[in-house]
Short mmCIF file of all heavy atoms in Angstrom, two decimals:
data_model
loop_
_atom_site.label_atom_id
_atom_site.label_comp_id
_atom_site.label_asym_id
_atom_site.label_seq_id
_atom_site.Cartn_x
_atom_site.Cartn_y
_atom_site.Cartn_z
N VAL A 1320 79.61 -15.09 109.41
CA VAL A 1320 80.50 -14.04 108.94
C VAL A 1320 81.79 -14.05 109.72
O VAL A 1320 82.85 -13.77 109.18
CB VAL A 1320 79.80 -12.67 109.05
CG1 VAL A 1320 80.74 -11.54 108.72
CG2 VAL A 1320 78.58 -12.64 108.16
N GLN A 1321 81.74 -14.42 110.98
CA GLN A 1321 82.92 -14.40 111.83
C GLN A 1321 83.71 -15.70 111.79
O GLN A 1321 84.76 -15.80 112.38
CB GLN A 1321 82.50 -14.12 113.28
CG GLN A 1321 81.82 -12.78 113.44
CD GLN A 1321 81.25 -12.61 114.83
OE1 GLN A 1321 81.32 -13.51 115.65
NE2 GLN A 1321 80.67 -11.45 115.08
N ALA A 1322 83.23 -16.68 111.05
CA ALA A 1322 83.90 -17.98 111.03
C ALA A 1322 85.26 -17.86 110.36
O ALA A 1322 85.38 -17.36 109.26
CB ALA A 1322 83.04 -19.00 110.30
N ASP A 1323 86.27 -18.30 111.03
CA ASP A 1323 87.63 -18.31 110.52
C ASP A 1323 87.95 -19.74 110.09
O ASP A 1323 87.84 -20.66 110.89
CB ASP A 1323 88.59 -17.86 111.63
CG ASP A 1323 90.04 -17.87 111.20
OD1 ASP A 1323 90.36 -18.33 110.09
OD2 ASP A 1323 90.86 -17.41 111.99
N PRO A 1324 88.33 -19.95 108.83
CA PRO A 1324 88.58 -21.33 108.40
C PRO A 1324 89.72 -22.01 109.15
O PRO A 1324 89.85 -23.21 109.08
CB PRO A 1324 88.90 -21.17 106.92
CG PRO A 1324 89.15 -19.76 106.69
CD PRO A 1324 88.49 -18.99 107.79
N LEU A 1325 90.53 -21.25 109.85
CA LEU A 1325 91.61 -21.85 110.62
C LEU A 1325 91.24 -21.98 112.09
O LEU A 1325 92.09 -22.29 112.91
CB LEU A 1325 92.88 -21.01 110.46
CG LEU A 1325 93.39 -20.87 109.03
CD1 LEU A 1325 94.59 -19.96 108.98
CD2 LEU A 1325 93.71 -22.22 108.43
N ALA A 1326 89.98 -21.74 112.39
CA ALA A 1326 89.52 -21.80 113.78
C ALA A 1326 89.47 -23.25 114.25
O ALA A 1326 89.77 -24.18 113.53
CB ALA A 1326 88.14 -21.16 113.89
N SER A 1327 89.04 -23.42 115.46
CA SER A 1327 88.96 -24.76 116.05
C SER A 1327 87.94 -25.61 115.31
O SER A 1327 87.06 -25.10 114.61
CB SER A 1327 88.56 -24.64 117.52
OG SER A 1327 87.21 -24.24 117.62
N ALA A 1328 88.07 -26.90 115.49
CA ALA A 1328 87.13 -27.83 114.86
C ALA A 1328 85.71 -27.56 115.32
O ALA A 1328 84.76 -27.68 114.54
CB ALA A 1328 87.55 -29.27 115.17
N GLU A 1329 85.54 -27.18 116.57
CA GLU A 1329 84.21 -26.90 117.10
C GLU A 1329 83.60 -25.70 116.38
O GLU A 1329 82.41 -25.70 116.07
CB GLU A 1329 84.25 -26.65 118.60
CG GLU A 1329 84.65 -27.87 119.42
CD GLU A 1329 86.16 -28.12 119.45
OE1 GLU A 1329 86.96 -27.19 119.18
OE2 GLU A 1329 86.54 -29.27 119.73
N ASP A 1330 84.41 -24.66 116.14
CA ASP A 1330 83.91 -23.49 115.42
C ASP A 1330 83.52 -23.87 113.99
O ASP A 1330 82.50 -23.43 113.48
CB ASP A 1330 84.95 -22.38 115.39
CG ASP A 1330 85.16 -21.73 116.75
OD1 ASP A 1330 84.31 -21.90 117.63
OD2 ASP A 1330 86.20 -21.05 116.91
N ALA A 1331 84.35 -24.68 113.35
CA ALA A 1331 84.06 -25.11 111.98
C ALA A 1331 82.78 -25.94 111.96
O ALA A 1331 81.93 -25.75 111.08
CB ALA A 1331 85.23 -25.90 111.42
N ASP A 1332 82.62 -26.84 112.92
CA ASP A 1332 81.42 -27.66 112.98
C ASP A 1332 80.18 -26.80 113.18
O ASP A 1332 79.13 -27.06 112.57
CB ASP A 1332 81.53 -28.70 114.10
CG ASP A 1332 82.55 -29.79 113.80
OD1 ASP A 1332 82.96 -29.94 112.63
OD2 ASP A 1332 82.95 -30.48 114.76
N ALA A 1333 80.27 -25.79 114.02
CA ALA A 1333 79.13 -24.90 114.26
C ALA A 1333 78.79 -24.12 113.00
O ALA A 1333 77.60 -23.97 112.66
CB ALA A 1333 79.44 -23.95 115.42
N ALA A 1334 79.79 -23.63 112.29
CA ALA A 1334 79.54 -22.89 111.05
C ALA A 1334 78.91 -23.81 110.01
O ALA A 1334 77.99 -23.41 109.30
CB ALA A 1334 80.83 -22.29 110.53
N ILE A 1335 79.39 -25.04 109.91
CA ILE A 1335 78.83 -26.00 108.96
C ILE A 1335 77.39 -26.32 109.33
O ILE A 1335 76.53 -26.43 108.45
CB ILE A 1335 79.72 -27.25 108.86
CG1 ILE A 1335 80.99 -26.88 108.09
CG2 ILE A 1335 78.98 -28.40 108.18
CD1 ILE A 1335 82.05 -27.95 108.09
N ALA A 1336 77.09 -26.43 110.60
CA ALA A 1336 75.71 -26.68 111.03
C ALA A 1336 74.81 -25.51 110.62
O ALA A 1336 73.67 -25.72 110.16
CB ALA A 1336 75.65 -26.90 112.53
N ASP A 1337 75.31 -24.29 110.76
CA ASP A 1337 74.54 -23.11 110.33
C ASP A 1337 74.31 -23.13 108.82
O ASP A 1337 73.20 -22.86 108.34
CB ASP A 1337 75.26 -21.82 110.71
CG ASP A 1337 75.23 -21.54 112.20
OD1 ASP A 1337 74.45 -22.18 112.92
OD2 ASP A 1337 76.01 -20.67 112.64
N LEU A 1338 75.35 -23.46 108.06
CA LEU A 1338 75.23 -23.53 106.60
C LEU A 1338 74.25 -24.63 106.19
O LEU A 1338 73.49 -24.47 105.24
CB LEU A 1338 76.60 -23.75 105.97
CG LEU A 1338 77.53 -22.54 106.01
CD1 LEU A 1338 78.96 -22.97 105.70
CD2 LEU A 1338 77.05 -21.47 105.05
N GLN A 1339 74.28 -25.74 106.91
CA GLN A 1339 73.35 -26.84 106.60
C GLN A 1339 71.91 -26.38 106.84
O GLN A 1339 71.02 -26.67 106.04
CB GLN A 1339 73.67 -28.07 107.43
CG GLN A 1339 72.77 -29.24 107.10
CD GLN A 1339 73.21 -30.53 107.78
OE1 GLN A 1339 74.15 -30.54 108.56
NE2 GLN A 1339 72.54 -31.60 107.47
N SER A 1340 71.68 -25.65 107.93
CA SER A 1340 70.34 -25.14 108.20
C SER A 1340 69.87 -24.19 107.10
O SER A 1340 68.72 -24.25 106.67
CB SER A 1340 70.31 -24.42 109.54
OG SER A 1340 70.49 -25.32 110.59
N LEU A 1341 70.77 -23.32 106.66
CA LEU A 1341 70.43 -22.41 105.56
C LEU A 1341 70.09 -23.20 104.30
O LEU A 1341 69.11 -22.90 103.61
CB LEU A 1341 71.58 -21.46 105.27
CG LEU A 1341 71.82 -20.33 106.25
CD1 LEU A 1341 73.11 -19.61 105.92
CD2 LEU A 1341 70.65 -19.37 106.24
N HIS A 1342 70.89 -24.19 104.01
CA HIS A 1342 70.65 -25.02 102.81
C HIS A 1342 69.32 -25.76 102.91
O HIS A 1342 68.56 -25.80 101.94
CB HIS A 1342 71.79 -26.01 102.60
CG HIS A 1342 71.49 -27.02 101.55
ND1 HIS A 1342 71.34 -26.69 100.23
CD2 HIS A 1342 71.27 -28.36 101.64
CE1 HIS A 1342 71.05 -27.78 99.54
NE2 HIS A 1342 71.01 -28.80 100.38
N GLU A 1343 69.04 -26.33 104.06
CA GLU A 1343 67.78 -27.07 104.22
C GLU A 1343 66.57 -26.15 104.12
O GLU A 1343 65.51 -26.57 103.66
CB GLU A 1343 67.79 -27.83 105.55
CG GLU A 1343 68.77 -28.99 105.53
CD GLU A 1343 68.97 -29.64 106.89
OE1 GLU A 1343 68.45 -29.12 107.90
OE2 GLU A 1343 69.68 -30.66 106.93
N GLY A 1344 66.74 -24.90 104.53
CA GLY A 1344 65.64 -23.94 104.45
C GLY A 1344 65.39 -23.43 103.04
O GLY A 1344 64.28 -23.01 102.71
N ALA A 1345 66.42 -23.46 102.21
CA ALA A 1345 66.30 -22.98 100.83
C ALA A 1345 67.23 -23.80 99.94
O ALA A 1345 68.27 -23.32 99.50
CB ALA A 1345 66.65 -21.50 100.76
N PRO A 1346 66.87 -25.06 99.68
CA PRO A 1346 67.78 -25.94 98.94
C PRO A 1346 68.08 -25.49 97.51
O PRO A 1346 69.08 -25.88 96.94
CB PRO A 1346 67.07 -27.30 98.95
CG PRO A 1346 65.68 -27.04 99.36
CD PRO A 1346 65.66 -25.74 100.10
N ALA A 1347 67.24 -24.65 96.93
CA ALA A 1347 67.49 -24.18 95.57
C ALA A 1347 68.43 -22.98 95.52
O ALA A 1347 68.84 -22.56 94.44
CB ALA A 1347 66.17 -23.82 94.90
N ASP A 1348 68.78 -22.44 96.66
CA ASP A 1348 69.66 -21.27 96.72
C ASP A 1348 71.10 -21.71 96.44
O ASP A 1348 71.75 -22.30 97.29
CB ASP A 1348 69.55 -20.61 98.09
CG ASP A 1348 70.32 -19.30 98.17
OD1 ASP A 1348 71.49 -19.26 97.75
OD2 ASP A 1348 69.75 -18.33 98.68
N LEU A 1349 71.59 -21.41 95.24
CA LEU A 1349 72.92 -21.90 94.84
C LEU A 1349 74.07 -21.30 95.65
O LEU A 1349 75.01 -22.02 95.97
CB LEU A 1349 73.13 -21.67 93.35
CG LEU A 1349 72.24 -22.52 92.44
CD1 LEU A 1349 72.52 -22.23 90.98
CD2 LEU A 1349 72.43 -24.00 92.73
N PRO A 1350 74.03 -20.02 96.01
CA PRO A 1350 75.12 -19.51 96.85
C PRO A 1350 75.21 -20.22 98.21
O PRO A 1350 76.31 -20.53 98.68
CB PRO A 1350 74.81 -18.02 97.01
CG PRO A 1350 74.04 -17.69 95.77
CD PRO A 1350 73.20 -18.92 95.51
N ASN A 1351 74.06 -20.49 98.82
CA ASN A 1351 74.07 -21.23 100.09
C ASN A 1351 74.60 -22.64 99.89
O ASN A 1351 75.40 -23.14 100.68
CB ASN A 1351 72.67 -21.31 100.70
CG ASN A 1351 72.24 -20.03 101.37
OD1 ASN A 1351 73.04 -19.14 101.60
ND2 ASN A 1351 70.95 -19.93 101.66
N ARG A 1352 74.15 -23.30 98.83
CA ARG A 1352 74.59 -24.66 98.53
C ARG A 1352 76.10 -24.68 98.30
O ARG A 1352 76.81 -25.55 98.80
CB ARG A 1352 73.86 -25.19 97.30
CG ARG A 1352 74.25 -26.60 96.91
CD ARG A 1352 73.55 -27.00 95.62
NE ARG A 1352 72.13 -27.08 95.79
CZ ARG A 1352 71.43 -28.21 95.82
NH1 ARG A 1352 72.04 -29.36 95.66
NH2 ARG A 1352 70.14 -28.20 95.99
N SER A 1353 76.58 -23.71 97.56
CA SER A 1353 78.02 -23.63 97.28
C SER A 1353 78.83 -23.38 98.54
O SER A 1353 79.87 -24.02 98.76
CB SER A 1353 78.27 -22.51 96.26
OG SER A 1353 79.64 -22.36 96.04
N SER A 1354 78.37 -22.49 99.38
CA SER A 1354 79.07 -22.21 100.63
C SER A 1354 79.10 -23.44 101.54
O SER A 1354 80.12 -23.75 102.15
CB SER A 1354 78.40 -21.05 101.38
OG SER A 1354 78.53 -19.86 100.65
N PHE A 1355 78.00 -24.13 101.60
CA PHE A 1355 77.90 -25.34 102.40
C PHE A 1355 78.86 -26.40 101.86
O PHE A 1355 79.62 -27.03 102.62
CB PHE A 1355 76.45 -25.83 102.39
CG PHE A 1355 76.16 -27.06 103.22
CD1 PHE A 1355 76.81 -27.30 104.41
CD2 PHE A 1355 75.20 -27.96 102.80
CE1 PHE A 1355 76.52 -28.44 105.17
CE2 PHE A 1355 74.90 -29.09 103.54
CZ PHE A 1355 75.57 -29.33 104.73
N ALA A 1356 78.87 -26.59 100.55
CA ALA A 1356 79.76 -27.57 99.94
C ALA A 1356 81.23 -27.21 100.16
O ALA A 1356 82.05 -28.08 100.46
CB ALA A 1356 79.46 -27.70 98.45
#
């Protein structure tokens, strides 16, 4: 929720890692898949 798209690359990488974990936990969840993509 706090991820700023203009933040540092490290912050973006951490947010993407979180989104990937959410996607892997529920691959059929389209909102998670869309956010990750």
Side-chain angles (χ1 to χ4, degrees):
V1320 174
Q1321 299 172 357
D1323 179 353
L1325 300 176
S1327 71
E1329 294 80 20
D1330 289 343
D1332 291 343
I1335 287 171
D1337 288 347
L1338 288 165
Q1339 183 172 4
S1340 292
L1341 286 172
H1342 170 66
E1343 290 171 354
D1348 186 312
L1349 292 180
N1351 283 347
R1352 180 184 294 252
S1353 176
S1354 295
F1355 182 35

